[in-house]
Amino acid sequence: MKKNFFIFVFLILIFSQKSFGYSSDPKQFITEIVNEAKKILVDTNTKEFKTIKLSEIALDTVDIKGVGYYSLGDYRKTLTDDEKKEYFILFEKYFLKSFTSRLTDYSDPKIEVISTEVLNSKYTIVKSKLLGTDKKPEVNIEWRVYTKNPDKPLIRDLIIEGLSLARTQKEEFASVIESNNGDISKLFSTLKEFVAK
Amino acid sequence: MLRKYIHILTIALFMQITAVNAGSTDNESLKNSGSETAADECFESASRVMFKINHGLDKAIFEPVAKGYRALPVPIRKGTGNAVDNLRSLLTLSNNVLQGEFERAGNNVARFAINSTVGILGIFDPATKLGFEDQGKEDFGQTLGKWGADSGCYFVLPILGPTTTRDVIGLVGNTFLDPVYHITHNSEVNAGIGNTNYSEHNYYYYRGTSAVDFRAKNIESFDSIEENSIDLYASLKSLYLQNRKQKIANSTSAVETQNDSDWEEIDSN
């Protein structure tokens, strides 16, 4: 009985660690993600390992569904339930591939988390700096953190030197759809091609 | 020289008129994704072709040159970057004044004076250590934006890449405002001085070096955008327009310059 109780407590601890492993304070939340990413992005790790681990972090800390909705712009209102289902499966694969591919080339990045700016009850911007090297200049990075559930903040956008990745993605998606006379299935096939390559 | 300016201005004005009338054309689709950073496309088909040509030139010439430049020792690259930035600060200074940014103008005067003398023709940057930090570049396109001019039509120029009607007019304006351009293009003065260091081609060396320095600093960023885009043309258009908006607002935060209302609608929980 006692043994079962310990196993039960242990399992609870593991699950609670998984769901609430990160701080609810946005600045601390980003600091923890950055520190975790730093450990993964060391030279000794293979690209495959980095991809898997970064994907795990993204699934835990990024509001992929929210970013997916945002990226569709007004077209999200025209999707049927089946299309939504298909889109979110595709978008998650696209997002993880794109996200990890952008980061795996970085080795031992040095990021300083500097300050926060609370925009409203739903959003806080965390400001950070990727320190420069001999080859690359210093880069300002802002993280748009969605705080609607204050216990579980989630990242919704990365703003690099004032350029929003989510906005760029939204305008890219709109361009694909509009270039095909509003046919959203063309966006789906383009995403499929991207995921498959 | 005056005739050359008139030709350029005529073309720029023609483009401005085309931008205004763009809505009435049948064969060019106007694209507006509902984002405030989107600009009307007046010649999208032509721009996409030009974009492909520029992309090919980048792969064949500019990227290899930038990679070669990056292979140079750090002090040489840093010194070169500092020197071209120092010359470029004169154009920034003119635009600081036109924008009424006198504090920034003062900062630029101090930077130029210190770096050109103590910093040995701008190769070193002692001004930053003395508290006169670089506050960013300005050009006449930004000044026009600050004065309230709309971006107008978005299109792609050969070699120079993405631009808007306002920024093309800005390019012409830059030649009036850039002292380096005038020193290197005033042949009568050059003849009087008898100094060939002030000849026209030195201006283009300086501009070319500046472009290579920029490209070399952003090799990975360009590669990453290219690798992760499903429509590279649209990505670069978005990034260009966002960047110009930031620069006109003299801000490094998207939150200060972009409308957040489209985020407010998204509720995924």
Side-chain angles (χ1 to χ4, degrees), chain B residues 98-111:
Chain B
L98 287 172
Q99 292 174 27
E101 300 271 5
F102 298 111
E103 205 172 299
R104 282 172 181 258
N107 184 68
N108 261 320
V109 169
R111 279 184 61 79

Side-chain angles (χ1 to χ4, degrees), chain B:
Chain B
M1 180 59 85
L2 187 64
R3 192 180 285 177
K4 190 170 143 191
Y5 282 138
I6 290 168
H7 276 304
I8 295 169
L9 270 176
T10 310
I11 293 166
L13 283 173
F14 167 73
M15 284 172 167
Q16 182 73 54
I17 292 161
T18 314
V20 171
N21 293 331
S24 61
T25 58
D26 294 330
N27 55 347
E28 294 285 353
S29 56
L30 280 175
K31 302 289 170 64
N32 193 338
S33 60
S35 162
E36 86 224 65
T37 53
D40 288 341
E41 290 260 16
C42 295
F43 328 101
E44 185 174 354
S45 315
S47 288
R48 282 191 182 264
V49 171
M50 193 49 68
F51 175 77
K52 274 188 186 162
I53 294 170
N54 285 349
H55 193 229
L57 285 173
D58 179 62
K59 288 283 153 208
I61 302 168
F62 303 126
E63 192 180 1
V65 170
K67 282 183 174 166
Y69 174 80
R70 193 136 104 178
L72 294 171
V74 177
I76 293 178
R77 269 190 291 129
K78 200 161 184 187
T80 308
N82 285 343
V84 291
D85 282 351
N86 191 48
L87 287 175
R88 176 65 175 75
S89 70
L90 293 171
L91 176 60
T92 298
L93 172 62
S94 314
N95 283 286
N96 286 149
V97 173
L98 287 172
Q99 292 174 27
E101 300 271 5
F102 298 111
E103 205 172 299
R104 282 172 181 258
N107 184 68
N108 261 320
V109 169
R111 279 184 61 79
F112 184 76
I114 295 166
N115 287 345
S116 302
T117 52
V118 184
I120 312 171
L121 300 174
I123 293 169
F124 301 99
D125 179 19
T128 299
K129 289 187 185 108
L130 292 170
F132 298 101
E133 288 193 9
D134 184 5
Q135 295 181 345
K137 297 181 174 77
E138 298 287 343
D139 57 53
F140 193 58
Q142 284 164 255
T143 300
L144 291 173
K146 190 99 176 179
W147 289 348
D150 189 51
S151 61
C153 185
Y154 174 87
F155 53 97
V156 179
L157 285 173
I159 301 174
L160 298 176
T163 192
T164 59
T165 313
R166 180 186 60 209
D167 291 341
V168 165
I169 296 171
L171 270 180
V172 180
N174 286 343
T175 60
F176 287 101
L177 295 170
D178 190 355
V180 180
Y181 182 90
H182 287 284
I183 291 168
T184 51
H185 282 70
N186 195 336
S187 53
E188 288 161 28
V189 172
N190 291 344
I193 294 170
N195 188 343
T196 53
N197 288 329
Y198 295 141
S199 61
E200 273 185 39
H201 63 262
N202 284 329
Y203 176 78
Y204 297 104
Y205 287 151
Y206 142 66
R207 298 291 301 182
T209 307
S210 177
V212 170
D213 188 59
F214 172 80
R215 184 68 179 89
K217 282 175 180 163
N218 293 284
I219 289 174
E220 286 80 10
S221 306
F222 276 90
D223 287 349
S224 174
I225 294 166
E226 198 179 334
E227 199 180 322
N228 293 296
S229 291
I230 55 172
D231 182 345
L232 186 57
Y233 174 87
S235 272
L236 290 178
K237 176 187 168 187
S238 174
L239 292 169
Y240 176 81
L241 293 172
Q242 286 185 60
N243 186 40
R244 292 302 287 172
K245 201 162 189 180
Q246 301 286 328
K247 284 185 168 168
I248 289 165
N250 286 331
S251 166
T252 54
S253 171
V255 178
E256 288 169 15
T257 56
Q258 289 174 16
N259 186 349
D260 266 8
S261 60
D262 44 359
W263 275 115
E264 293 299 329
E265 290 174 20
I266 309 293
D267 254 332
S268 57
N269 306 3

Side-chain angles (χ1 to χ4, degrees), chain A residues 23-34 112-117 124-127 145 147 153:
Chain A
S23 170
S24 57
D25 171 60
K27 189 176 175 189
Q28 188 56 28
F29 169 65
I30 296 299
T31 306
E32 287 169 6
I33 295 168
V34 164
E112 272 179 16
V113 179
I114 302 163
S115 61
T116 56
E117 182 186 347
T124 294
I125 301 292
V126 178
K127 297 179 181 187
V145 182
T147 50

Side-chain angles (χ1 to χ4, degrees), chain A residues 9 14 31 37 50 52 56 164:
Chain A
V9 171
I14 286 179
T31 306
K50 289 178 186 174
I52 292 166
E56 284 173 10
S164 154

